[in-house]
Amino acid sequence: MSVGMKLRALRGKKTQQKVAQDLGISKSAWAMYEKNERVPRDEVKIRIAKYFNESVGSIFYSD
């Protein structure tokens, strides 16, 4: 499963805008992460993992 697919699954029914706002990033950045067009900086990866109560590795590094 791609990182983008994992992020979409984790987001569930929340809007991209809500998740982006909660993480302190732009909606367009979040959308690019979900489309695998951009990879978040390490500090953003950590915020995403904490937000979804997952490990960074399980979202960004494992298949």
Side-chain angles (χ1 to χ4, degrees), residues 35-48:
K35 291 188 277 186
N36 295 306
E37 293 177 355
R38 188 166 145 184
V39 176
R41 296 184 317 269
D42 287 347
E43 67 187 50
V44 177
K45 287 178 183 176
I46 292 167
R47 287 202 312 253
I48 291 169

Side-chain angles (χ1 to χ4, degrees), residues 10-49:
L10 287 168
R11 179 168 58 88
K13 293 183 186 266
K14 292 182 183 179
T15 64
Q16 288 182 336
Q17 181 66 44
K18 172 65 173 152
V19 172
Q21 182 179 347
D22 290 348
L23 292 170
I25 60 175
S26 69
K27 179 185 175 288
S28 63
W30 180 264
M32 285 189 268
Y33 302 156
E34 285 192 3
K35 291 188 277 186
N36 295 306
E37 293 177 355
R38 188 166 145 184
V39 176
R41 296 184 317 269
D42 287 347
E43 67 187 50
V44 177
K45 287 178 183 176
I46 292 167
R47 287 202 312 253
I48 291 169

